[in-house]
Amino acid sequence: MLNVSIYRYNPEVDNEPYMQDFQFDTQGKDLMVLDVLEKLKIEDPSLVFRRSCREGVCGSDGVNISGKNGLACITPLSEAVKGNSLIIRPLPGLPVIRDLVIDMSQFYAQYEKIQPYMINNSPAPAIERLQTPEERAKLDGLYECILCACCSTACPSFWWNPEKFIGPSGLLQAYRFLADSRDTATAERLSKLDDPFSVFRCHGIMNCVQVCPKGLNPTKAIGHIRNMLMRNPT
Amino acid sequence: MASLRTMSFDAVIVGGGGSGMRAALQLAQSGYKTAVITKVFPTRSHTVSAQGGITCAIASDDPDDRWQWHMYDTVKGSDYIGDQEAIEYMCQTGPEAVFELEHMGLPFSRTEEGRIYQRPFGGQSKDYGAGGQAARTCAAADRTGHALLHTLYQGNLKNKTVFLNEWFAVDIVKNSDNAVVGVVAINIETGECVYVKSKATVFATGGAGRIYASTTNAHICTGDGVGMAIRAGFPVQDIEMWQFHPTGIHGAGTLVTEGCRGEGGYLINKDGERFMERYAPNAKDLAGRDVVARSMVLEILEGRGCGPDGDHVFLKLDHLGEEALNAKLPGILELSRTFAHADPVKEPIPVVPTCHYMMGGIPTNVNGQALTIDREGNDQVIEGFYACGEAACVSVHGANRLGGNSLLDLVVFGRASGIFIENELSKGIDLKDATQEDIDRAMAGLNRINASTEGENAAVLRAELQTIMQNFFGVFRRGDYMQKGVKKLDELRPRIENVYLDDKSNSFNTARIEALELQNLFETAYATAIAAEGRTESRGAHAREDFQERDDENWLCHSIYFPGSKEIGKRAVNFTLKTREPFEPKIRTY
């Protein structure tokens, strides 16, 4: 039997959070962590977590699994279990609403701050705006972000300044638009990032790279933004 | 009953997926007070899982491509019960709608000319079937749904749409004229119930693949819109038509895009034979999805399936080369390695037909206006009520949807609904206010669940429902089996209506939401069962062993499920094209 230890907190009932242990029979299968949560919820419907696509593209079920942030639906027990124990906690650094569900408002607010949409005020052509495969390739590794918050909530700089430091996810998206040949607001975007906190609080700790379930590299994107800021002082 | 807090909007969209956000964008752009009620943060919606692309005649791959050819393919694909007026509108308007998405920033893959990359998909042809395979599906690698959904969310942020994220619509509020005047919704985080009042209520609630045990669909695809419509007494159309996608990963159910076969992959049986050559000599692996799915099941039933239990077939991709796979199908490599423990660069992916898409839904016209049928059998618009995307049946997919047409459907008709409502709002909409009684009626189901003191667990009941649907209403169907299935559902109904909610807390209580979703799943499943049993022919995705032929004399029509009588009726298919003579039904071969 696998020992599954889960962070529990229901604000209506509990004065403080606690860890609850469950015994779980994997029947020898290398299940995903989400499968375990789903099965435990049948026994205890009060257990609360987010989930949607269950295939690693919607970004709902970011949790802290045995000490590392990741998506429950694509993390197999073979990677997650240490000793005979699986420990599941909410993503760190943001307020907990209940059990494994965190309040992501601050994370989303940082995303919105970078103006995460195409800006191009020239009249649109009758067909698509043209873009070469090479220009398009610059967006690979950027646009795939699923906003799961695994990276930002693994980042000590974000824990320290969640209201001022954009965080790795938001900055990855900032660079996604800076790098897009179709976007014309480069100067405006850079000037909004040009302060001591938004970008420069990144100290290259690279937790974000280590945990990103999509294999993306926010640190690299942040490096590009730094270079752009230093080359084009605003 | 204490009265609920009321929030008022010009338009409320229920559902934050592709169609809902496209409709919302249209209305927010024109300055109307618009809210999106969505039970998950918008980018968690199931549109995100669409992989292969959005089919549309933008004439990039072939400069001579024509939307009329796409229209022909779609009519044929629908097995002739798609409404031709709606298909014409979709295929003709498509390019404009796709270019708008590109202008909003959607990161499409590109050709050497800098245009949008298009790949071949099943059921596509040039020159009305005479010119061979077309490549008409616009793609962002194999992550087109993700790219599209994020782009639409971003567009809505730019236009300041109000999002009620992690709110769940419980039921429709109707006034004394039987018009829809909003919904009751529950704020999942706090448990507060609110009457969300609106002059136009758009259901963009997506599909319901979770009525089956094995599905490519997300956990959240629970037929909420169809369930609410049925409880409000409104009919649903062609709900027996469920698409089984040929390539769900065996065991896990996760989708492997048809784009794999578009890029040159193919299916093999245990003998390594490319068996689709026998079933569809011309289109082979790119025949219609219904045709491919049935062929796979026949291979398995005849003992040529793969694996120790012979219960799946293989999708072979390794011959395409690692470089092409990395460039064109990177998401598939990830999914296969994670869920099938197979690396497609070296070995084939075990796949099996898996429930994927609801062709039926809330009947609408091309403006998204939801319809009911009056006593004389005529269409009648339901005031204040609209639907688009998978929840709607407009009907562009008829009995079988072509790959890549769902994303086009949701963009084109989300947009069309938005444009129509915009216009109505500018003229002024005057609907009678709901009374306290009207609102209380919409709260009845939730109140019953909240008051439950005994009964069964929602998850257990849900699993039972899914097993019944999987066993009795799957790829192949038979009258006597289906009658048994209906009987089992009849027995299940009171147990589901009396579901027990043990945890009555308010804060982010997902058990309460799942109990509500279960009601929606059940209504969708029940309508499916009645309509499937009733349609005594084989057409598109609806394949009956006891009625193997298509019966145009009796069934070249939509089925309509009436919730009051729990019976099905018929509704004429639209054969009126604005630009040419209609396409007459022909024998459908690939």
Side-chain angles (χ1 to χ4, degrees):
Chain A
M1 294 294 257
L2 175 69
N3 187 60
V4 186
S5 190
I6 302 180
Y7 179 102
R8 301 299 305 266
Y9 175 65
N10 178 347
E12 289 167 64
V13 183
D14 304 317
N15 290 325
E16 55 185 34
Y18 62 99
M19 298 301 290
Q20 184 179 6
D21 286 347
F22 298 85
Q23 294 302 308
F24 185 85
D25 182 3
T26 62
Q27 296 173 326
K29 290 184 198 153
D30 189 13
L31 299 169
M32 297 296 174
V33 171
L34 180 62
D35 299 331
V36 174
L37 288 171
E38 289 284 353
K39 286 188 163 64
L40 290 174
K41 189 172 173 67
I42 297 174
E43 303 306 315
D44 179 0
S46 75
L47 174 63
V48 172
F49 50 91
R50 292 186 174 107
R51 87 282 183 269
S52 174
C53 77
R54 60 82 168 90
E55 59 190 25
V57 293
C58 79
S60 296
D61 61 348
V63 285
N64 184 276
I65 305 164
S66 299
K68 187 179 172 188
N69 291 354
L71 299 180
C73 61
I74 55 169
T75 305
L77 290 179
S78 55
E79 279 175 26
V81 172
K82 289 180 185 143
N84 186 42
S85 153
L86 173 68
I87 303 167
I88 311 173
R89 295 171 180 273
L91 291 176
L94 290 175
V96 172
I97 295 173
R98 175 172 175 177
D99 293 349
L100 302 174
V101 172
I102 52 166
D103 178 353
M104 296 174 73
S105 324
Q106 213 146 31
F107 172 79
Y108 294 136
Q110 294 298 356
Y111 174 67
E112 288 178 34
K113 219 190 260 181
I114 62 103
Q115 298 179 290
Y117 37 78
M118 176 77 77
I119 301 175
N120 184 331
N121 294 326
S122 66
I127 59 166
E128 67 270 46
R129 295 185 201 276
L130 300 183
Q131 185 174 45
T132 66
E134 293 71 29
E135 287 167 337
R136 169 60 183 76
K138 293 194 174 133
L139 308 184
D140 285 335
L142 305 173
Y143 82 94
E144 301 93 323
C145 174
I146 57 174
L147 302 178
C148 64
C150 284
C151 61
S152 293
T153 62
C155 173
S157 303
F158 189 73
W159 296 338
W160 203 245
N161 293 111
E163 71 297 332
K164 290 184 191 163
F165 175 49
I166 302 283
S169 170
L171 289 171
L172 187 80
Q173 291 316 292
Y175 187 61
R176 176 250 172 276
F177 288 97
L178 287 168
D180 196 320
S181 61
R182 301 169 294 173
D183 189 278
T184 55
T186 304
E188 180 194 336
R189 290 180 186 282
L190 287 174
S191 77
K192 289 201 168 138
L193 294 170
D194 198 5
D195 62 67
F197 282 92
S198 296
V199 179
F200 290 100
R201 281 289 113 172
C202 170
H203 299 304
I205 299 166
M206 292 180 80
N207 282 0
C208 53
V209 183
Q210 211 204 343
V211 299
C212 175
K214 306 308 288 180
L216 309 177
N217 189 334
T219 305
K220 193 169 153 195
I222 294 168
H224 287 305
I225 300 175
R226 280 175 191 267
N227 286 343
M228 289 175 94
L229 282 170
M230 288 189 290
R231 254 186 281 125
N232 309 293
T234 54
Chain B
M1 177 75 216
S3 64
L4 304 179
R5 180 161 72 96
T6 300
M7 293 168 78
S8 293
F9 295 93
D10 292 321
V12 161
I13 288 106
V14 183
S19 68
M21 287 210 287
R22 185 61 189 82
L25 179 67
Q26 195 69 36
L27 290 158
Q29 274 172 342
S30 48
Y32 287 106
K33 197 178 166 197
T34 309
V36 176
I37 295 175
T38 171
K39 64 179 178 176
V40 292
F41 182 78
T43 63
R44 327 282 184 217
S45 306
H46 187 53
T47 304
V48 81
S49 291
Q51 297 170 352
I54 175 168
T55 302
C56 185
I58 60 160
S60 164
D61 180 79
D62 173 3
D64 298 325
D65 197 15
R66 298 173 58 178
W67 65 264
Q68 289 89 345
W69 299 346
H70 179 198
M71 171 169 68
Y72 165 83
D73 291 342
T74 304
V75 171
K76 177 183 171 187
S78 80
D79 222 348
Y80 299 95
I81 61 163
D83 285 320
Q84 298 200 9
E85 178 195 25
I87 295 172
E88 180 183 49
Y89 180 80
M90 178 177 79
C91 297
Q92 187 172 21
T93 317
E96 196 180 331
V98 168
F99 293 139
E100 282 170 2
L101 289 171
E102 195 282 334
H103 298 153
M104 282 164 61
L106 201 157
F108 281 111
S109 300
R110 298 289 168 158
T111 65
E112 285 306 318
E113 292 74 36
R115 296 210 56 193
I116 293 171
Y117 171 72
Q118 293 182 293
R119 60 164 52 111
F121 247 54
Q124 291 179 358
S125 76
K126 300 184 183 185
D127 198 13
Y128 308 102
Q133 177 74 43
R136 194 173 287 131
T137 301
C138 308
D142 56 358
R143 302 186 182 99
T144 316
H146 169 279
L148 185 148
L149 190 66
H150 280 251
T151 301
L152 282 173
Y153 179 58
Q154 293 160 353
N156 275 285
L157 284 180
K158 191 174 182 180
N159 286 282
K160 310 210 176 341
T161 304
V162 175
F163 282 98
L164 301 175
N165 291 333
E166 295 182 324
W167 283 49
F168 182 84
V170 174
D171 258 318
I172 291 171
V173 177
K174 288 194 296 185
N175 68 13
S176 53
D177 296 333
N178 212 32
V180 173
V181 287
V183 292
V184 165
I186 179 169
N187 176 340
I188 299 175
E189 184 178 333
T190 63
E192 186 196 10
C193 286
V194 175
Y195 167 40
V196 184
K197 178 182 169 181
S198 180
K199 294 171 187 163
T201 303
V202 185
F203 272 20
T205 48
R210 289 277 156 180
I211 66 170
Y212 287 92
S214 170
T215 176
T216 64
N217 285 191
H219 286 290
I220 58 170
C221 299
T222 51
D224 300 332
V226 168
M228 283 188 276
I230 287 176
R231 278 196 300 279
F234 300 134
V236 292
Q237 175 171 285
D238 294 338
I239 197 75
E240 69 277 25
M241 297 300 180
W242 283 88
Q243 177 162 82
F244 288 79
H245 195 290
T247 55
I249 291 181
H250 174 245
T254 40
L255 173 70
V256 172
T257 174
E258 183 169 312
C260 291
R261 284 169 285 137
E263 297 291 351
Y266 54 85
L267 298 163
I268 53 176
N269 60 23
K270 73 169 183 188
D271 304 320
E273 182 203 7
R274 184 174 183 182
F275 58 85
M276 279 313 299
E277 290 177 335
R278 269 189 280 122
Y279 296 94
N282 298 311
K284 301 187 181 80
D285 296 81
L286 289 178
R289 284 181 178 174
D290 53 336
V291 175
V292 179
R294 274 194 293 278
S295 308
M296 291 168 68
V297 172
L298 287 173
E299 286 299 296
I300 291 166
L301 290 176
E302 288 168 11
R304 292 187 293 277
C306 306
D309 299 323
D311 59 354
H312 58 271
V313 299
F314 280 133
L315 173 64
K316 184 175 149 58
L317 294 174
D318 58 312
H319 57 285
L320 300 177
E322 188 166 0
E323 197 181 326
L325 291 174
N326 277 328
K328 291 175 173 168
L329 301 166
I332 294 308
L333 298 183
E334 265 179 57
L335 281 172
S336 178
R337 287 165 186 158
T338 306
F339 289 103
H341 305 294
D343 182 355
V345 171
K346 297 180 209 138
E347 57 200 326
I349 310 173
V351 290
V352 71
T354 305
C355 174
H356 183 57
Y357 188 85
M358 176 175 84
M359 266 81 72
I362 299 163
T364 71
N365 60 24
V366 289
N367 299 317
Q369 292 180 286
L371 305 171
T372 184
I373 314 296
D374 69 15
R375 278 170 198 210
E376 284 74 47
N378 299 315
D379 291 356
Q380 198 188 332
V381 164
I382 304 168
E383 292 298 327
F385 192 30
Y386 301 79
C388 54
E390 191 170 344
C393 183
V394 50
S395 148
V396 287
H397 309 306
N400 171 65
R401 176 172 72 74
L402 293 186
N405 267 356
S406 60
L407 290 185
L408 187 64
D409 168 11
L410 62 81
V411 172
V412 165
F413 292 104
R415 179 179 183 273
S417 306
I419 292 170
F420 183 81
I421 294 166
E422 215 169 30
N423 198 28
E424 293 291 291
L425 285 168
S426 75
K427 288 190 286 189
I429 295 176
D430 192 20
L431 298 173
K432 235 182 250 171
D433 279 345
T435 63
Q436 186 59 44
E437 217 181 348
D438 296 329
I439 299 168
D440 288 348
R441 210 174 296 122
M443 282 294 289
L446 177 58
N447 287 337
R448 192 179 57 219
I449 288 171
N450 284 338
S452 65
T453 52
E454 57 183 1
E456 294 168 80
N457 179 319
V460 173
L461 292 165
R462 183 175 62 213
E464 213 169 302
L465 172 67
Q466 291 166 336
T467 305
I468 295 171
M469 295 308 291
Q470 192 78 27
N471 291 345
F472 296 97
F473 303 94
V475 175
F476 284 104
R477 298 167 171 182
R478 214 172 83 186
D480 53 343
Y481 271 46
M482 288 194 283
Q483 281 154 16
K484 255 189 229 168
V486 171
K487 195 161 164 281
K488 283 178 180 287
L489 291 175
D490 279 325
E491 290 161 9
L492 192 56
R493 180 185 286 275
R495 293 168 57 201
I496 285 184
E497 285 174 352
N498 291 317
V499 63
Y500 177 49
L501 180 70
D502 177 32
D503 175 9
K504 305 284 202 300
S505 63
N506 287 316
S507 172
F508 223 102
N509 186 340
T510 54
R512 178 178 286 126
I513 302 302
E514 289 185 28
L516 291 166
E517 288 174 332
L518 178 63
Q519 312 301 319
N520 297 328
L521 282 170
F522 183 81
E523 293 300 350
T524 312
Y526 195 82
T528 299
I530 297 295
E533 203 270 322
R535 188 182 276 273
T536 49
E537 65 155 355
S538 287
R539 182 185 298 274
H542 179 62
R544 287 187 63 147
E545 293 174 46
D546 47 352
F547 294 93
Q548 298 192 0
E549 301 300 318
R550 192 173 85 189
D551 177 1
D552 285 347
E553 204 172 306
N554 294 300
W555 287 107
L556 185 63
C557 61
H558 299 297
S559 72
I560 295 281
Y561 168 80
F562 294 101
S565 62
K566 300 190 173 56
E567 287 171 355
I568 68 161
K570 296 179 178 180
R571 177 171 171 247
V573 170
N574 177 295
F575 280 91
T576 345
L577 292 175
K578 290 202 172 80
T579 56
R580 56 162 286 151
E581 295 297 297
F583 298 99
E584 295 300 331
K586 284 195 284 194
I587 300 293
R588 186 165 157 258
T589 55
Y590 284 101

